[in-house]
Amino acid sequence: MRSKIIAGNWKMHGSKDSVTALLSNIKSNFAASSPQLIVFPPYVYLEQVQQTLKDTKIQWGAQNLSANEPGAYTGEVAAQMLLDFGCKYSLVGHSERRSFYHEDNILVAMKFAQAQRHHLIPILCVGETLQQREQGLTEEVIREQLQAVLLLQAGVQGFRQAVIAYEPVWAIGTGLTATPEQAQEVHQFIRRELAKQDEVIAAQVSIIYGGSVKAVNAKSLFAMPDIDGGLVGGASLDAHEFVEIAKCIN
Ligand code: 13P
């Protein structure tokens, strides 16, 4: 059975007060052990999140990590530091990292490997732009994003302990959600690509969808056979909405 995951990517939002309020609301309104809830705060709130969530079933992680070991890399955060704050997960290759900070497939693959080297579970984000979709390049783009990780990891084994997030760039923060059928098509494609190398791993890896997920559209997305949950941006900053999204999955 694949685990069901609802993750909240807070991006560059929050304050000490809003983090306290958001987490206490989520905690008091969601106590079930499935789906697994995970929050991704900005680095500076990780300690606060750790303290607030330590006796709960909710997990937390980082939005990014360095591909390097600790050293002279101003402004970067190493995997070991994330472990120090109880992180179990890290996002890698979010489209905002790829587009604004020029992270290419090779760097993303290095980050994926670095996370696993330190026993953090990477959530690999993949997805096409609107232009790529319109040009019929969706599968090619996603295949390349997966291939980089497969090559650097010497195959599919790296996906034994990893999560994939399909986030079409055109659906992020735009209010334009992929239809359940559009998302399912890509999720199934991702699983087939992995199955070419290992059917068991392909069947076991959780593939979550991100891009304007809201309580109103979550149920139909999560009803799709290859969609194992959601990576939620804007709506994860609203405790009520986030919990309602989590309740849409069974
Ligand atoms: P939105 O839910 O705001 O579209 O963001 C999705 C996302 O980028 C999550 O990582």
Side-chain angles (χ1 to χ4, degrees):
M1 260 279 279
R2 299 195 283 268
S3 37
K4 304 285 185 184
I5 297 167
I6 300 294
N9 175 8
W10 297 355
K11 308 193 179 183
M12 198 171 73
H13 292 287
S15 64
K16 284 187 187 174
D17 287 347
S18 74
V19 167
T20 301
L22 179 55
L23 292 179
S24 69
N25 266 318
I26 296 174
K27 275 200 305 190
S28 50
N29 290 297
F30 196 86
S33 54
S34 178
Q36 174 65 61
L37 296 193
I38 314 170
V39 293
F40 291 91
Y43 290 134
V44 290
Y45 299 116
L46 280 172
E47 181 165 23
Q48 188 185 348
V49 170
Q50 179 182 31
Q51 291 309 322
T52 314
L53 296 181
K54 64 180 180 222
D55 298 320
T56 72
K57 296 189 180 104
I58 305 169
Q59 298 280 349
W60 58 94
Q63 296 173 15
N64 182 29
L65 83 165
S66 171
N68 295 301
E69 290 295 298
Y73 300 101
T74 302
E76 291 286 277
V77 174
Q80 290 89 332
M81 299 168 186
L82 302 178
L83 294 175
D84 222 5
F85 290 93
C87 291
K88 198 168 161 197
Y89 296 86
S90 179
L91 300 182
V92 297
H94 190 279
S95 71
E96 286 149 20
R97 300 293 320 167
R98 292 178 189 263
S99 64
F100 302 146
Y101 304 99
H102 313 296
E103 294 193 7
D104 61 14
N105 284 339
I106 303 293
L107 180 59
V108 171
M110 286 167 65
K111 290 184 173 199
F112 184 102
Q114 182 69 356
Q116 291 197 322
R117 205 169 287 127
H118 294 282
H119 308 291
L120 283 164
I121 299 174
I123 300 190
L124 173 69
C125 304
V126 298
E128 80 289 1
T129 63
L130 185 58
Q131 198 186 20
Q132 289 164 335
R133 174 165 280 264
E134 285 173 350
Q135 291 173 345
L137 296 175
T138 301
E139 293 192 350
E140 192 176 324
V141 167
I142 289 169
R143 184 181 289 119
E144 279 173 15
Q145 291 171 337
L146 291 173
Q147 276 302 326
V149 173
L150 289 168
L151 288 173
L152 203 81
Q153 288 287 333
V156 73
Q157 296 302 324
F159 286 94
R160 265 189 205 286
Q161 279 292 331
V163 174
I164 298 172
Y166 169 54
E167 297 205 303
V169 179
W170 49 272
I172 295 177
T174 57
L176 279 179
T177 321
T179 64
E181 293 73 23
Q182 279 173 323
Q184 165 60 23
E185 200 179 356
V186 178
H187 283 233
Q188 192 177 46
F189 168 75
I190 293 170
R191 224 180 276 291
R192 279 211 213 102
E193 282 298 295
L194 297 180
K196 286 180 190 165
Q197 296 200 16
D198 191 309
E199 286 184 12
V200 175
I201 293 175
Q204 279 173 355
V205 66
S206 295
I207 308 178
I208 62 179
Y209 167 81
S212 299
V213 175
K214 310 260 182 297
V216 291
N217 56 34
K219 215 177 179 68
S220 53
L221 284 161
F222 302 160
M224 292 288 141
D226 288 294
I227 301 184
D228 305 309
L231 178 54
V232 186
S236 72
L237 299 169
D238 177 330
H240 175 74
E241 186 74 13
F242 189 59
V243 168
E244 287 305 306
I245 291 170
K247 288 179 183 165
C248 287
I249 198 159
N250 43 38

